[in-house]
């Protein structure tokens, strides 16, 4: 079982020391969230809390995930980085392809791209995109990314995007893993058909396992079940080695966690040294027993 560290809501000056500590201790990856802005106006409930309210305020720090990954990659040697998840439908896919390809080159292929639709209508509207068309656009986004990151001259003529022959260099020397989020049936179909993995939001173990089973069914339907596939889980009710072993046996491959929460250090703010101590304790008490 892999264990990856989310740095969501951490202060900007904590990103590099946390990445360096996670690498030294032995964690698999640093996971980068995406929140472009905090809008006072909210016309849809946040889908991952029981009351529909966001867990953060206007002053909570959120770093641009591409910039943060580049900074941390330059300060580390072996740890992997991936987004969970970038709201791809908010962005122009050609520009995103340039960012992802650049990160692959700068990090020596230590970057995976986790992508999702985005839940907040204002975020899409005020960034110049249509909330209602985000699903069909996401399908074109994925195709564009794969083509451009594959190297060579590429053209695309779709319903939502249209461009002539272009080439982006350098192309990644290895395929950039594509992890797709989403909990609706269309989102799961998209992950099963096009993704190298699925990345969850916060869910209890039962829901994670139900989703794994559904993804397995869909991958058989699409004929993609013979390919490697990651299940990256943010689990709200698994706290020890036995629980994580059960998840692993059911097909979960990567636990995305915030270890310092178990030792009384908050996500937003919190002393970086105490966070590092939390990384060390969690690795010794949970990660090692899980993998032995």
């Amino acid at each position: 079982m892999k264990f990856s560290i989310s740095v969501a809501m951490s202060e900007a000056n904590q990103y590099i020391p946390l990445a360096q500590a996670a690498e030294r201790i032995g964690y698999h990856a640093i996971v980068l969230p995406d929140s472009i802005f905090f809008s006072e106006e909210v016309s849809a409930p946040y889908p991952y809390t029981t009351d529909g309210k966001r867990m953060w305020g206007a002053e909570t720090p959120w770093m641009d995930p591409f910039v943060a990954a580049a900074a941390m990659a330059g300060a580390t040697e072996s740890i992997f980085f991936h987004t969970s998840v970038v709201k791809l439908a908010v962005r122009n896919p050609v520009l995103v392809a340039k960012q992802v390809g650049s990160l692959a080159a700068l990090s020596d292929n230590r970057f995976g791209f986790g992508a999702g639709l985005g839940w907040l209508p204002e975020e899409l509207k005020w960034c110049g995109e249509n909330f209602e068309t985000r699903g069909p656009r996401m399908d074109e986004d994925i195709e564009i990314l794969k083509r451009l990151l594959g190297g060579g001259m590429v053209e695309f003529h779709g319903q939502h995007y249209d461009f002539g022959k272009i080439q982006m260099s350098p192309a990644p020397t290895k395929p950039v893993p594509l992890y797709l989020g989403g909990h609706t049936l269309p989102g799961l179909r998209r992950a099963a058909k096009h993704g190298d993995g699925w990345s969850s939001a916060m869910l209890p173990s039962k829901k994670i396992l139900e989703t794994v089973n559904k993804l397995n069914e869909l991958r058989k339907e699409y004929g993609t079940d013979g390919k490697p596939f990651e299940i990256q889980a943010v689990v709200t009710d698994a706290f020890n080695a036995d629980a994580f072993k059960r998840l692993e046996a059911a097909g979960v491959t990567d636990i995305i966690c915030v270890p310092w929460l178990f030792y009384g250090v908050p996500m937003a703010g919190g002393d970086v040294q105490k966070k590092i101590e939390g990384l060390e304790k969690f690795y010794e008490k949970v990660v090692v027993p899980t993998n032995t």
Side-chain angles (χ1 to χ4, degrees):
M1 175 75 81
K2 300 173 185 174
F3 284 83
S4 298
I5 305 304
S6 172
V7 292
M9 305 187 199
S10 291
E11 299 290 339
N13 61 4
Q14 296 184 353
Y15 274 52
I16 287 175
L18 287 173
Q20 291 172 327
E23 178 177 74
R24 170 180 57 80
I25 295 165
Y27 287 97
H28 166 63
I30 295 292
V31 180
L32 296 144
D34 180 34
S35 181
I36 299 173
F37 55 71
F38 184 95
S39 63
E40 187 174 276
E41 178 183 335
V42 178
S43 58
Y46 182 63
Y48 306 118
T49 56
T50 55
D51 61 4
K53 295 181 180 179
R54 291 166 288 185
M55 304 176 298
W56 61 93
E59 303 300 323
T60 304
W62 297 90
M63 301 301 107
D64 179 275
F66 299 116
V67 174
M72 290 187 290
T76 56
E77 295 181 356
S78 60
I79 196 165
F80 195 71
F81 301 93
H82 67 85
T83 51
S84 181
V85 290
V86 159
K87 297 162 188 176
L88 181 55
V90 180
R91 295 166 164 89
N92 181 286
V94 176
L95 296 177
V96 171
K98 188 62 179 178
Q99 292 171 298
V100 172
S102 298
L103 270 169
L106 289 169
S107 68
D108 192 21
N109 298 303
R110 290 187 287 135
F111 183 72
F113 185 52
L117 289 175
W119 64 277
L120 179 62
E122 286 74 19
E123 199 164 43
L124 282 90
K125 178 181 177 181
W126 296 341
C127 287
E129 295 291 354
N130 188 319
F131 184 78
E132 301 303 326
T133 63
R134 68 196 190 283
R137 285 190 294 105
M138 181 78 167
D139 293 331
E140 291 191 12
D141 292 337
I142 291 168
E143 186 175 352
I144 289 167
L145 281 169
K146 288 188 172 184
R147 289 192 194 183
L148 288 173
L149 293 174
M153 280 289 173
V154 171
E155 61 181 309
F156 187 84
H157 306 286
Q159 181 180 353
H160 299 281
Y161 302 100
D162 186 272
F163 54 85
K165 291 184 178 180
I166 60 174
Q167 179 169 338
M168 287 188 175
S169 298
T173 57
K174 295 180 181 179
V176 177
L178 177 63
Y179 312 125
L180 296 173
H183 299 84
T184 64
L185 182 57
L188 296 179
R189 285 191 175 279
R190 191 176 291 116
K193 186 176 182 179
H194 300 293
D196 299 299
W198 174 73
S199 188
S200 84
M202 300 175 296
L203 292 173
S205 299
K206 180 180 178 181
K207 185 63 177 176
I208 292 283
L209 298 182
E210 289 174 358
T211 305
V212 171
N213 290 336
K214 186 61 179 179
L215 284 164
N216 289 339
E217 292 176 10
L218 292 171
R219 292 179 67 223
K220 287 180 182 178
E221 178 182 328
Y222 288 120
T224 59
D225 53 316
K227 296 170 24 178
F229 193 81
E230 296 280 337
I231 300 288
Q232 301 168 341
V234 184
V235 193
T236 58
D237 60 354
F239 311 112
N240 56 44
D242 288 342
F244 292 129
K245 284 181 177 180
R246 288 192 291 271
L247 289 164
E248 183 179 28
V252 175
T253 61
D254 191 347
I255 296 295
I256 298 174
C257 56
V258 187
W260 47 86
L261 287 178
F262 296 104
Y263 307 103
V265 184
M267 290 183 69
D271 179 75
V272 69
Q273 188 55 44
K274 291 189 179 298
K275 290 184 177 182
I276 292 171
E277 291 171 3
L279 291 176
E280 293 170 337
K281 290 177 183 177
F282 188 82
Y283 195 87
E284 178 184 351
K285 296 180 179 295
V286 178
V287 178
V288 172
T290 298
N291 290 322
T292 55

